[in-house]
Amino acid sequence: MLDDLDRNLLEILVKDARTSLKELAAQVGLSSPSVSERLRRLEERGVIRAFTVEIDPLALGYTLQAIVRIRPLPGKLHIVQKLIEDIPEFGECDKVTGDDCFVARLFVRSIGDLDGILDRIADKAETSTAIIKAQPIRRRPPPLDAAASRDRAKVLHAS
C-alpha cells in the first residue's frame, strides 16, 4: 500500500514527471536522498513503471485516431495479435472479454491509411471501427487514494 508521502510524490509526478528531485523534496518536506530512495522503492514494487513523455499525434501528422474492435477468425488469435503488435500505428491494444478479442487505438494520417491498415488484417479478423471525434478524458492513472475512490463511487451511485 501507499503511504501519504508516496501518494503525494506520485500526484506531483503525474502532473509533471520532469519535476527534479530537489523540487520533489521541497514539496514533500524530505531530503533529496530520501525522495530518491522512495522513488527507487516505488519503481522496484512496480508502482512506477516509467517516467515518460506524452507526444501529440497531431504534431506528427496523425490527424485521425480510431478505436478498432477486432475479432480474429477461428484459429487466428495469435496471428492477429502479432499483426497488431507489428503495425506501429496501433498505439495501444487491450485483450478483452466479450464478442471481440481486442480493442485497439489506431493513429492514422488519412482514411486511406486506415483502410490500408485494416486491409492487412481483413483476411484474419473481423473489425469494427469508430473514428474518435474528441477525447474528453485523457489517459489518467487510477485514483491514488482508495478511500477517496470509494467515497466518489458512493456519491455517483446515490445520484
Coordinates of all heavy atoms in Angstrom, one line a residue, residues 4-32 35 38:
D4 N 1.0 8.3 2.8 CA 0.6 9.7 2.3 C 1.8 10.3 1.5 O 1.5 11.0 0.5 CB 0.2 10.6 3.5 CG -1.1 10.2 4.1 OD1 -1.9 9.5 3.3 OD2 -1.4 10.6 5.2
L5 N 3.0 10.1 2.0 CA 4.2 10.7 1.2 C 4.3 10.1 -0.2 O 4.6 10.8 -1.1 CB 5.5 10.5 2.0 CG 5.7 11.5 3.2 CD1 6.9 11.0 4.0 CD2 6.0 12.9 2.6
D6 N 4.1 8.8 -0.3 CA 4.2 8.1 -1.6 C 3.1 8.7 -2.5 O 3.4 9.0 -3.7 CB 4.0 6.6 -1.5 CG 5.2 5.9 -0.9 OD1 6.3 6.5 -0.9 OD2 5.1 4.8 -0.4
R7 N 1.9 8.8 -2.0 CA 0.8 9.4 -2.8 C 1.1 10.8 -3.2 O 0.9 11.2 -4.4 CB -0.5 9.3 -2.0 CG -1.3 8.0 -2.2 CD -2.7 8.2 -1.6 NE -2.7 8.1 -0.1 CZ -2.5 7.0 0.6 NH1 -2.4 5.9 0.0 NH2 -2.6 7.1 1.9
N8 N 1.7 11.6 -2.3 CA 2.0 13.0 -2.6 C 3.0 13.0 -3.7 O 2.9 13.8 -4.7 CB 2.5 13.7 -1.3 CG 2.4 15.2 -1.4 OD1 2.1 15.7 -2.5 ND2 2.9 15.9 -0.4
L9 N 4.1 12.2 -3.6 CA 5.1 12.2 -4.7 C 4.5 11.8 -6.0 O 4.8 12.4 -7.0 CB 6.2 11.2 -4.3 CG 7.2 11.6 -3.2 CD1 8.0 10.4 -2.7 CD2 8.0 12.7 -3.7
L10 N 3.6 10.8 -6.0 CA 3.0 10.3 -7.2 C 2.1 11.4 -7.8 O 2.1 11.6 -9.1 CB 2.2 9.0 -7.0 CG 3.1 7.8 -6.7 CD1 2.2 6.6 -6.3 CD2 4.0 7.4 -7.9
E11 N 1.4 12.1 -7.0 CA 0.5 13.2 -7.5 C 1.3 14.3 -8.2 O 0.9 14.8 -9.3 CB -0.3 13.7 -6.4 CG -1.5 12.8 -5.9 CD -2.2 13.3 -4.7 OE1 -1.7 14.3 -4.1 OE2 -3.1 12.6 -4.3
I12 N 2.5 14.6 -7.6 CA 3.3 15.6 -8.2 C 3.9 15.1 -9.5 O 3.9 15.8 -10.5 CB 4.5 16.0 -7.2 CG1 3.9 16.6 -6.0 CG2 5.5 16.9 -7.9 CD1 4.9 16.7 -4.8
L13 N 4.3 13.9 -9.6 CA 4.9 13.3 -10.8 C 3.9 13.1 -11.9 O 4.2 13.2 -13.1 CB 5.7 12.0 -10.5 CG 7.0 12.2 -9.7 CD1 7.5 10.8 -9.2 CD2 8.0 13.0 -10.5
V14 N 2.7 12.8 -11.5 CA 1.6 12.6 -12.5 C 1.4 14.0 -13.2 O 1.2 14.0 -14.5 CB 0.3 12.1 -11.9 CG1 -0.9 12.4 -12.8 CG2 0.4 10.7 -11.6
K15 N 1.5 15.1 -12.5 CA 1.3 16.4 -13.1 C 2.5 16.8 -13.9 O 2.4 17.4 -15.0 CB 1.1 17.5 -12.0 CG -0.3 17.3 -11.3 CD -0.4 18.3 -10.2 CE -1.7 18.1 -9.5 NZ -1.7 18.7 -8.1
D16 N 3.7 16.4 -13.5 CA 4.9 16.8 -14.2 C 6.0 15.8 -13.9 O 6.7 15.9 -12.8 CB 5.4 18.2 -13.9 CG 6.6 18.6 -14.7 OD1 7.1 17.8 -15.5 OD2 7.1 19.7 -14.4
A17 N 6.2 14.8 -14.7 CA 7.2 13.7 -14.5 C 8.6 14.2 -14.5 O 9.5 13.5 -14.1 CB 7.0 12.6 -15.5
R18 N 8.8 15.5 -15.0 CA 10.2 16.0 -15.1 C 10.5 16.8 -13.8 O 11.6 17.5 -13.7 CB 10.3 17.0 -16.3 CG 10.2 16.2 -17.6 CD 10.2 17.1 -18.8 NE 11.3 18.0 -18.7 CZ 11.7 18.8 -19.7 NH1 11.2 18.7 -20.9 NH2 12.7 19.6 -19.5
T19 N 9.7 16.8 -12.8 CA 10.0 17.5 -11.6 C 11.3 17.0 -11.0 O 11.5 15.8 -10.9 CB 8.8 17.3 -10.5 OG1 7.6 17.8 -11.1 CG2 9.1 18.1 -9.3
S20 N 12.2 17.9 -10.6 CA 13.5 17.5 -10.1 C 13.4 16.9 -8.7 O 12.4 17.1 -8.0 CB 14.5 18.7 -10.1 OG 14.1 19.6 -9.1
L21 N 14.4 16.1 -8.4 CA 14.4 15.5 -7.0 C 14.4 16.7 -6.0 O 13.8 16.6 -5.0 CB 15.7 14.7 -6.8 CG 15.6 13.3 -7.4 CD1 17.0 12.6 -7.2 CD2 14.5 12.5 -6.7
K22 N 15.2 17.7 -6.3 CA 15.2 18.8 -5.3 C 13.9 19.5 -5.1 O 13.5 19.7 -4.0 CB 16.2 19.9 -5.9 CG 16.4 21.1 -5.0 CD 17.4 22.0 -5.6 CE 17.6 23.3 -4.7 NZ 18.5 24.2 -5.2
E23 N 13.1 19.7 -6.2 CA 11.8 20.2 -6.1 C 10.8 19.3 -5.4 O 10.0 19.7 -4.6 CB 11.3 20.6 -7.5 CG 9.9 21.2 -7.5 CD 9.8 22.5 -6.8 OE1 10.8 23.2 -6.7 OE2 8.6 22.8 -6.3
L24 N 10.9 18.0 -5.8 CA 10.1 17.0 -5.1 C 10.3 17.0 -3.6 O 9.4 17.0 -2.8 CB 10.4 15.6 -5.6 CG 9.8 15.2 -7.0 CD1 10.4 13.9 -7.5 CD2 8.3 15.1 -6.9
A25 N 11.6 17.0 -3.2 CA 12.0 17.0 -1.8 C 11.4 18.3 -1.1 O 10.8 18.2 0.0 CB 13.5 17.0 -1.7
A26 N 11.5 19.4 -1.8 CA 11.0 20.6 -1.1 C 9.4 20.6 -1.0 O 8.9 21.0 0.1 CB 11.3 21.8 -2.0
Q27 N 8.8 20.0 -2.0 CA 7.3 19.9 -1.9 C 6.8 19.0 -0.8 O 5.7 19.2 -0.3 CB 6.7 19.6 -3.3 CG 6.8 20.7 -4.3 CD 6.1 20.5 -5.5 OE1 4.9 20.0 -5.5 NE2 6.7 20.8 -6.7
V28 N 7.5 17.9 -0.6 CA 7.0 16.9 0.4 C 7.7 17.0 1.7 O 7.4 16.2 2.7 CB 7.1 15.4 -0.2 CG1 6.3 15.3 -1.4 CG2 8.6 15.0 -0.4
G29 N 8.7 17.9 1.9 CA 9.4 18.1 3.1 C 10.4 17.0 3.5 O 10.6 16.7 4.7
L30 N 11.0 16.4 2.5 CA 12.1 15.4 2.8 C 13.4 15.9 2.1 O 13.4 16.8 1.3 CB 11.7 14.0 2.2 CG 10.5 13.3 2.8 CD1 10.2 12.0 2.0 CD2 10.8 13.0 4.2
S31 N 14.5 15.2 2.4 CA 15.7 15.4 1.7 C 15.7 14.8 0.3 O 14.9 13.8 0.1 CB 16.9 14.8 2.5 OG 16.8 13.4 2.5
S32 N 16.5 15.2 -0.6 CA 16.6 14.7 -1.9 C 17.0 13.2 -1.9 O 16.4 12.4 -2.6 CB 17.6 15.4 -2.8 OG 17.1 16.7 -3.1
V35 N 13.9 11.2 -0.9 CA 12.9 11.1 -2.0 C 13.4 10.1 -3.1 O 12.7 9.3 -3.6 CB 12.7 12.5 -2.7 CG1 12.0 12.4 -4.0 CG2 11.9 13.4 -1.7
R38 N 12.7 6.7 -1.9 CA 11.3 6.3 -2.0 C 10.9 6.1 -3.5 O 10.2 5.1 -3.7 CB 10.4 7.5 -1.5 CG 10.3 7.5 0.0 CD 9.3 8.6 0.5 NE 9.1 8.4 1.9 CZ 8.0 7.7 2.4 NH1 7.1 7.2 1.6 NH2 7.9 7.7 3.7

